[in-house]
Amino acid sequence: MAIVQEQNEGQSRSVSWRNVALVCGIVGLVVFCLAPVMWQVLTSFKVDTAIARIPNIYLPSPTQLTFDHYIDLFSRRPFLLYVFNSLFVAAAATLVALAAGAPAAYALARLKIPGERVLVAIVLIVTLFPYVLLFLGLFEVVKALGLGNNYLALIIPYAGKNLPLTILVLRSFFQQLPKDLEDSAKMDGYSTVQLLTRIILPMTVPAIVTTGILAFIFAWNEFIFALTFVTRESMKTIPVATAQIGGSSIFEIPYGPIAAATVAGTLPLVLLVLFFQRRIVQGLTAGAVKG
């Protein structure tokens, strides 16, 4: 009995230490990932003296907190207009990419197209291609078409950049759908367009939501194209407007307003991901398991 009890105690000790190490590792990883975010949030609420103080104040007191940075952000600058510009451009580019990518993905998944593997390889290469290298060519196109200071100067490049990813992701989902369902629908008189819009797309809502959110985040955060193709103040997006926030002099860096702008610009994305969290998880798991 004594030997059995000693073995049980040794096993419980090893298991408990293992659990403690696992919990500590998870907590450390969460802190490592969230520390920059929390630092940015705290900076947006600190008074200027607390921000500039050395050594840094990691846990400010209530007297060192203020809402002035957010008040100045929305009262002295048309930040709501910047939010609308980002929302409109990102939503439009995402819808265009999904509308063009879904039929192309279905065609690559179901139709016997000559050179299908070559086309898929080209789409994959375009997905991996750094979009920054397209900047000069797009700039000449925008200038030739007179699209400067126009929403189309951002919507078209964003949609084009997200189109290859949309095709690849949706193609993998279309390939996993049972083909017998499509054959039955065609026997009932459904055309290809009706089959795609009434049966296929409703069954791939998680994939569409996941792909759409990825495209939306890219368009929301893009900076170089928005900085160059749009110079009118009333059409700037959040990344450009945040980067151009200045202080009262060239020697002053307004850390508080910049932090407030980044937090306010990131909050819609966080709410979007939380709202579609279940759909995103369904899309990721469905794409990882063949049925």
Side-chain angles (χ1 to χ4, degrees):
M1 290 294 295
I3 297 175
V4 174
Q5 290 179 353
E6 290 179 359
Q7 291 178 351
N8 292 334
E9 290 178 358
Q11 292 178 357
S12 62
R13 290 177 182 176
S14 62
V15 171
S16 62
W17 279 109
R18 187 179 302 172
N19 293 338
V20 170
L22 179 61
V23 171
C24 292
I26 294 174
V27 171
L29 181 62
V30 171
V31 171
F32 177 79
C33 295
L34 294 182
V37 179
M38 294 304 300
W39 178 256
Q40 194 76 350
V41 173
L42 288 175
T43 303
S44 67
F45 286 104
K46 289 181 183 179
V47 296
D48 293 334
T49 55
I51 295 175
R53 187 171 178 179
I54 299 176
N56 294 324
I57 300 176
Y58 297 99
L59 296 176
S61 61
T63 58
Q64 296 173 328
L65 299 177
T66 181
F67 287 96
D68 291 343
H69 301 313
Y70 288 94
I71 295 174
D72 294 341
L73 183 66
F74 288 94
S75 61
R76 297 183 179 181
R77 301 175 179 86
F79 196 77
L80 287 178
L81 181 60
Y82 303 148
V83 174
F84 170 78
N85 293 334
S86 295
L87 180 62
F88 176 75
V89 170
T94 301
L95 292 177
V96 171
L98 291 176
Y106 181 76
L108 289 175
R110 286 291 186 258
L111 302 181
K112 300 299 182 180
I113 302 176
E116 177 184 350
R117 293 184 178 181
V118 177
L119 292 176
V120 174
I122 293 175
V123 172
L124 179 60
I125 293 174
V126 174
T127 304
L128 302 176
F129 196 79
Y131 73 94
V132 179
L133 300 180
L134 304 175
F135 170 72
L136 292 178
L138 284 174
F139 180 77
E140 295 296 331
V141 172
V142 169
K143 185 172 63 174
L145 297 178
L147 294 178
N149 287 326
N150 192 312
Y151 288 124
L152 291 177
L154 300 180
I155 294 175
I156 296 176
Y158 293 170
K161 182 63 179 69
N162 289 322
L163 187 60
L165 176 64
T166 303
I167 293 175
L168 289 178
V169 174
L170 293 182
R171 175 178 175 269
S172 64
F173 278 87
F174 290 150
Q175 287 179 332
Q176 296 170 17
L177 295 178
K179 198 171 182 180
D180 296 338
L181 182 63
E182 302 176 28
D183 296 335
S184 300
K186 290 180 180 179
M187 293 180 62
D188 293 336
Y190 280 83
S191 63
T192 303
V193 177
Q194 292 175 338
L195 176 65
L196 182 63
T197 56
R198 297 183 182 181
I199 297 179
I200 301 300
L201 292 182
M203 295 179 63
T204 57
V205 170
I208 294 174
V209 171
T210 304
T211 308
I213 288 178
L214 293 176
F216 185 90
I217 291 175
F218 166 79
W220 183 278
N221 293 329
E222 202 282 326
F223 177 76
I224 297 179
F225 294 167
L227 176 66
T228 308
F229 299 158
V230 174
T231 58
R232 188 179 301 171
E233 185 68 25
S234 60
M235 298 182 64
K236 291 181 179 179
T237 58
I238 291 179
V240 177
T242 301
Q244 294 179 349
I245 293 178
S248 57
S249 66
I250 61 174
F251 302 103
E252 178 186 357
I253 301 177
Y255 293 106
I258 291 176
T262 55
V263 173
T266 307
L267 185 60
L269 295 181
V270 175
L271 296 177
L272 179 67
V273 173
L274 292 178
F275 183 78
F276 290 103
Q277 180 180 6
R278 181 174 298 179
R279 293 291 187 181
I280 295 174
V281 173
Q282 291 177 354
L284 294 177
T285 54
V289 180
K290 287 189 176 181

